[in-house]
Amino acid sequence: MYVCMFWIYSRIHPPAQSIHPVCSSKPSTTTSTSSTSTEDLSQRSNDEIAQLVISHQIKDHTLEKRFDTHRAVEIRRLAFDHKLSSLGNASALSSLPYQHSLDYSSVYGANCEIVVGYVPLPVGMVGPVTLNNESVYIPMATTEGCLVASTNRGCKAISQGGTGAHSRIVKDGITRAPCLRLPSAMAAADMKAWCETPVHFQRLKAAFESTTSFGKLTSCAPTVAGKNVYLRLTCVSGDAMGMNMVSKGSLAVIDVLQREFPSMVLVALSGNMCTDKKAAAMNWIEGRGKSVVIETTISKKVVETILKTSVGRMVSTNYQKNLIGSAMAGSMGGFNAHASNNVTAVFLATGQDPAQNVESSNCITLVEETTDGDLWMSCTMPSIEVGTVGGGTSLAAQAACLKAIGCQGGNSNCPGGNAKKLAQVVAAATMAGELSLLAALAANELVSAHMQHNRKPAGKK
Ligand code: ADP
């Protein structure tokens, strides 16, 4: 979704020299001017057309404009078979599936370009986990043996350990921070002061919200660095993860600023203080997407029977590892055992942007012993970026996984309700994973569990 801002920008500000349309809308006609562009190819075989692609008489990326999307993929595979053979990698694609499971007409113009097939990922299901008094099953796509089994054990401990898990969204807002350049540092300081004046914020907000029916601009935070201003715009985005929405709205804000500050130059729509898909203290401290806190209390008995360790060992392992160990490593947002494992597996299953696992995995895991001798645990995750509409969420398999959780599509009663539920489910999967891995480490059973789930005995198919 990040790359789509270039598409949005080029639509709103048509460039003198065309910006590469990374995510083009679905075109209806071809724009190629080569002689084969007008030729009727309907009688030609796939092999013949692949030859035309190889000899550059037809541009690969125009295949979907000329043929139905499934046939376009078949032709492209033939062309790539030829190209890969010339590099000594003949038949490499023969085991890459392309039939039956993916509707290429949904993918085209939305999710991927130059498509030759799809990579099947196993999806495991964990749960039920009791979250906010509701039973939830969570699909996880992964190739890491042990992860699903281990998370399932954590879910069991949460659900049987007491009253389940309870979570809250404590902050909500996706961000975009354009880099704006002024002629001097003093002019940059003037612009910061202008943006911080409440009546001016209302003008920026009105401009932003004229571009979207779901997005609401909630803040505008300028940071000055010399002549540059990084304007971090935050918006709530309903059930969308919101990168397209906030990027489009940001352009409208920039238009207002351009009129007020004619000498201002837009350096980049994303000035990196957003911060998207990069490790940054900004997201850890300020939050991005959904900021979630989740907690659970697990009885001493369940810690001993299901997690097979003791409360004291869990508290100590968490302290020595997730707090002291991460501090010694100079960690930023990594005060956890393996949040990224669960975040990424749920992201892949539910059509989220997997590159956003960088900031979405920010998490501090805290463990204490209660006065009753039970185990209290929480995960605080300030920047979970998820949506249930847009991106990969409408592809059939990913939509099925969202449906299994109970948060597919837009929430018509309460826009944003589905995305908020998904964020809390990501946090629940993370906490289940934290519980189980910490317990395995506390009981020193990690390696033996991995040997059982990751390493098939020799000779066994
Ligand atoms: P993103 O902004 O996450 O990149 P998209 O722009 O791909 O997502 O998808 C959001 C689109 O879905 C917008 O056009 C928006 O109007 C539409 N939409 C429909 N229902 C909802 C909803 N409940 N919440 C947010 N957006 C919605």
Side-chain angles (χ1 to χ4, degrees):
M1 287 181 225
Y2 174 85
V3 287
C4 292
M5 73 185 184
F6 296 108
W7 174 80
I8 293 164
Y9 183 82
S10 59
R11 279 296 180 86
I12 298 178
H13 295 272
Q17 292 175 331
S18 83
I19 291 175
H20 180 55
V22 185
C23 291
S24 61
S25 59
K26 294 187 182 187
S28 54
T29 55
T30 176
T31 52
S32 169
T33 53
S34 71
S35 62
T36 45
S37 68
T38 49
E39 192 185 328
D40 177 12
L41 299 172
S42 57
Q43 302 309 312
R44 303 260 198 135
S45 71
N46 285 359
D47 279 316
E48 286 174 315
I49 301 165
Q51 280 306 322
L52 293 173
V53 173
I54 292 160
S55 61
H56 304 290
Q57 288 171 271
I58 294 180
K59 288 195 170 113
D60 178 304
H61 67 83
T62 64
L63 288 172
E64 277 83 357
K65 298 174 191 171
R66 294 166 165 272
F67 307 101
D68 76 67
T69 47
H70 191 272
R71 189 170 177 206
V73 171
E74 286 180 329
I75 295 166
R76 182 174 293 119
R77 286 171 66 94
L78 291 171
F80 267 102
D81 264 340
H82 184 277
K83 293 178 196 178
L84 291 170
S85 297
S86 70
L87 298 177
N89 300 325
S91 308
L93 297 185
S94 61
S95 299
L96 182 79
Y98 72 101
Q99 280 176 320
H100 308 307
S101 300
L102 200 53
D103 173 8
Y104 293 110
S105 64
S106 305
V107 172
Y108 179 56
N111 300 108
C112 188
E113 302 75 39
I114 319 178
V115 176
V116 293
Y118 55 86
V119 172
L121 274 179
V123 175
M125 191 75 98
V126 301
V129 60
T130 309
L131 174 62
N132 298 328
N133 306 316
E134 190 193 334
S135 283
V136 187
Y137 288 93
I138 311 174
M140 296 173 50
T142 183
T143 52
E144 184 180 346
C146 218
L147 179 62
V148 173
S150 171
T151 308
N152 201 39
R153 175 171 84 147
C155 289
K156 195 171 164 191
I158 291 170
S159 298
Q160 295 185 10
T163 59
H166 295 271
S167 63
R168 276 292 166 79
I169 305 275
V170 293
K171 198 171 178 184
D172 184 11
I174 194 69
T175 60
R176 178 56 86 205
C179 172
L180 308 167
R181 192 160 174 82
L182 281 301
S184 67
M186 296 307 104
D190 286 345
M191 196 173 95
K192 172 174 158 64
W194 190 93
C195 292
E196 286 171 343
T197 306
V199 66
H200 296 154
F201 173 72
Q202 289 307 322
R203 270 180 68 193
L204 299 180
K205 182 173 165 66
F208 184 102
E209 291 174 10
S210 70
T211 67
T212 161
S213 41
F214 288 92
K216 303 282 172 232
L217 188 70
T218 53
S219 80
C220 144
T223 299
V224 171
K227 297 177 183 179
N228 290 357
V229 177
Y230 298 86
L231 190 63
R232 197 172 195 252
L233 300 161
T234 306
C235 94
V236 291
S237 53
D239 291 303
M241 181 274 288
M243 281 310 302
N244 282 333
M245 214 177 267
V246 72
S247 299
K248 215 161 95 183
S250 297
L251 286 171
V253 165
I254 290 162
D255 278 345
V256 173
L257 291 173
Q258 190 74 76
R259 285 197 292 278
E260 286 299 320
F261 300 88
S263 54
M264 179 197 94
V265 172
L266 170 63
V267 176
L269 179 55
S270 165
N272 274 17
M273 277 191 77
C274 311
T275 295
D276 195 43
K277 303 176 181 175
K278 291 163 281 283
M282 177 55 92
N283 296 331
W284 176 234
I285 296 166
E286 290 292 323
R288 187 167 197 256
K290 314 305 183 217
S291 304
V292 183
V293 66
I294 184 165
E295 70 181 344
T296 191
T297 300
I298 297 173
S299 67
K300 180 175 175 240
K301 185 163 168 262
V302 165
V303 171
E304 286 164 2
T305 53
I306 294 178
L307 297 174
K308 308 215 174 340
T309 185
S310 67
V311 173
R313 279 179 155 216
M314 288 286 282
V315 171
S316 172
T317 305
N318 188 68
Y319 178 63
Q320 315 292 341
K321 171 187 165 63
N322 287 344
L323 302 186
I324 300 179
S326 294
M328 294 310 290
S331 181
M332 188 176 59
F335 297 90
N336 58 76
H338 67 149
S340 172
N341 257 335
N342 294 80
V343 168
T344 307
V346 180
F347 269 37
L348 289 172
T350 58
Q352 307 307 305
D353 189 333
Q356 289 182 321
N357 79 344
V358 176
E359 56 272 32
S360 297
S361 302
N362 280 335
C363 171
I364 183 163
T365 298
L366 298 172
V367 181
E368 294 174 14
E369 182 170 358
T370 69
T371 46
D372 296 333
D374 296 331
L375 181 89
W376 174 89
M377 176 185 261
S378 77
C379 288
T380 306
M381 304 180 72
S383 42
I384 301 181
E385 295 154 1
V386 289
T388 59
V389 298
T393 63
S394 51
L395 295 174
Q398 288 85 339
C401 289
L402 287 167
K403 197 169 177 194
I405 295 172
C407 61
Q408 193 247 323
N411 187 321
S412 47
N413 297 327
C414 162
N418 283 356
K420 284 181 182 158
K421 177 169 182 184
L422 179 58
Q424 292 172 87
V425 166
V426 168
T430 302
M431 191 163 71
E434 292 291 283
L435 256 180
S436 188
L437 177 52
L438 274 178
L441 289 166
N444 210 11
E445 64 179 26
L446 181 68
V447 174
S448 59
H450 266 268
M451 294 315 285
Q452 187 190 336
H453 289 279
N454 271 356
R455 305 268 182 277
K456 237 176 237 173
K460 256 198 170 174
K461 274 271 175 190

